[in-house]
């Protein structure tokens, strides 16, 4: 069943943004207006990302999903919360995630939760907590680059901004007193090619015999960026997806809401792994 979650989890990051020549429309009660265009705001937001050496992020993902159809359909929900701290120099990360999925997890799982906690430091290595034994493991250093890439992007909006480069006419560009609000309604066939490239990256290790995009229906895809009007930090990204897909003759539908909030830009100096973890972790052989 994890296969289907992976298939549907990648669509949100496949959308793109481009320049627009008009300034942002003030929302109700906005008194502090800016004449910057979408192109100017976008360029400043990207440039700001280049200056960020550390950041924190909190992500909340809620999902209502169904596999199959009719009376035999299986329905399940999940609620995931994630916290990430990342420092680029010296390179390090602290990552924690908790998922509640009462319809999917084994009855023996405590409170129907699955948790993951990880520390990564270029000099000290990778440490992961084994929730079943409540002990820490030290993973092979060869996994450092791949694990860092998969997890640290959650605390850095640069990747998302770099992917947002097309379809200016599809964006609504608004402003409040404090933020620029960029909204995209990404429903439509023209977005399938964009999602396709991201899905192929995610599905390459699943050995599927068919391309899921051949049977993908996007009922809803809303993508919202909140960019600070003074600092041009990307403070929040909201994504709402309603998708239906067939994978290996199974029909799978999902309504997913993702909210990622970014904070503490350039406040963290290092990711310090507790000495107790380093001293007592069991080394996992390569």
């Amino acid at each position: 069943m994890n296969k289907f979650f992976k298939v549907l989890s990648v669509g949100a990051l496949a959308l793109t943004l481009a320049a627009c020549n008009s300034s942002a429309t003030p929302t109700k009660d906005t008194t502090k207006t800016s004449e910057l265009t979408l192109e100017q705001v976008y360029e400043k937001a990207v440039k700001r990302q280049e200056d960020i050496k550390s950041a924190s992020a909190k992500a909340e993902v809620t999902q209502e999903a169904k596999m199959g159809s009719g009376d035999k359909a299986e329905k399940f929900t999940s609620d995931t919360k994630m916290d990430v701290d990342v420092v680029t120099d010296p390179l390090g990360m602290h990552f924690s995630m908790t998922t509640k999925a009462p319809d999917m997890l084994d009855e023996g799982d405590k409170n129907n939760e699955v948790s993951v906690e990880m520390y990564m430091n270029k000099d000290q290595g990778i440490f992961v907590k084994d929730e079943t034994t409540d002990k820490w493991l030290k993973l092979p250093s060869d996994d450092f680059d791949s694990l860092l890439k998969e997890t640290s992007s959650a605390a850095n909006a640069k990747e998302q901004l770099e992917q947002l480069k097309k379809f200016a006419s599809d964006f609504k560009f608004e402003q409040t007193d404090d933020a620029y609000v960029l909204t995209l309604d990404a429903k439509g066939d023209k977005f399938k090619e964009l999602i396709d490239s991201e899905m192929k990256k995610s599905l390459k290790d699943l050995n599927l015999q068919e391309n899921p995009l051949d049977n993908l229906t996007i009922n809803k895809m809303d993508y919202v960026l909140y960019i600070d009007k003074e600092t041009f930090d990307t403070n929040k990204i909201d994504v709402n997806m309603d998708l239906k897909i067939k994978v290996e003759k199974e029909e799978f539908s999902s309504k997913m809401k993702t909210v990622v909030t970014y904070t503490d830009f350039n406040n963290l100096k290092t990711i310090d792994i507790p000495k107790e973890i380093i001293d007592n972790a069991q080394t996992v052989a390569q």
Side-chain angles (χ1 to χ4, degrees), residues 109-165:
D109 288 325
K110 183 179 180 181
N111 298 322
N112 292 104
E113 291 184 0
V114 171
S115 298
V116 176
E117 185 174 8
M118 177 188 302
Y119 282 95
M120 299 181 65
N121 182 293
K122 192 66 174 178
D123 296 325
Q124 295 170 315
I126 310 166
F127 296 84
V128 179
K129 189 174 184 180
D130 183 347
E131 292 296 324
T132 60
T133 62
D134 202 32
K135 295 182 179 180
W136 284 86
L137 307 175
K138 184 175 182 180
L139 302 185
S141 58
D142 290 348
D143 297 331
F144 188 91
D145 291 337
S146 61
L147 284 173
L148 184 66
K149 182 178 181 180
E150 290 178 6
T151 52
S152 65
S153 61
N156 187 347
K158 183 178 181 180
E159 180 178 348
Q160 286 86 334
L161 288 175
E162 289 178 344
Q163 291 172 337
L164 303 178
K165 295 182 182 296

Side-chain angles (χ1 to χ4, degrees), residues 168-181:
S169 61
D170 294 288
F171 270 84
K172 181 166 63 174
F173 184 39
E174 298 177 304
Q175 60 179 309
T176 65
D177 283 341
D178 302 317
Y180 299 101
V181 184

Side-chain angles (χ1 to χ4, degrees), residues 53-56 84-95 118-126 144-145 147-149 151-153 155-156 268-273:
K53 306 304 180 184
S54 67
S56 299
V84 187
D85 297 324
V86 173
V87 176
T88 60
D89 187 16
L91 188 59
M93 181 195 68
H94 179 220
F95 171 88
M118 177 188 302
Y119 282 95
M120 299 181 65
N121 182 293
K122 192 66 174 178
D123 296 325
Q124 295 170 315
I126 310 166
F144 188 91
D145 291 337
L147 284 173
L148 184 66
K149 182 178 181 180
T151 52
S152 65
S153 61
N156 187 347
L268 298 172
K269 302 305 179 184
T270 61
I271 298 295
D272 297 318
I273 303 176

Side-chain angles (χ1 to χ4, degrees), residues 8-15 59-63 160 163-164 182-186 195 218 220-226 236-243 254-262:
L8 289 177
S9 66
V10 297
L13 298 182
L15 308 177
E60 295 187 11
V61 183
T62 56
Q63 184 181 44
Q160 286 86 334
Q163 291 172 337
L164 303 178
L182 284 60
T183 304
L184 176 64
D185 180 359
I195 298 172
I218 303 174
K220 181 179 181 181
M221 177 79 77
D222 296 334
Y223 199 93
V224 188
L225 294 173
Y226 297 85
K236 187 168 71 166
I237 298 177
D238 292 355
V239 182
N240 286 285
M241 295 190 297
D242 183 349
L243 307 176
S254 172
K255 294 181 180 180
M256 183 184 298
K257 178 178 178 62
T258 302
V259 179
V260 184
T261 304
Y262 303 92

Side-chain angles (χ1 to χ4, degrees), residues 223-256:
Y223 199 93
V224 188
L225 294 173
Y226 297 85
I227 298 174
D228 189 281
K229 292 177 76 172
E230 292 187 6
T231 64
F232 295 96
D233 287 321
T234 302
N235 290 328
K236 187 168 71 166
I237 298 177
D238 292 355
V239 182
N240 286 285
M241 295 190 297
D242 183 349
L243 307 176
K244 182 170 65 176
I245 194 169
K246 288 185 178 180
V247 180
E248 296 180 352
K249 298 182 180 181
E250 291 281 0
E251 182 176 285
F252 188 87
S253 60
S254 172
K255 294 181 180 180
M256 183 184 298

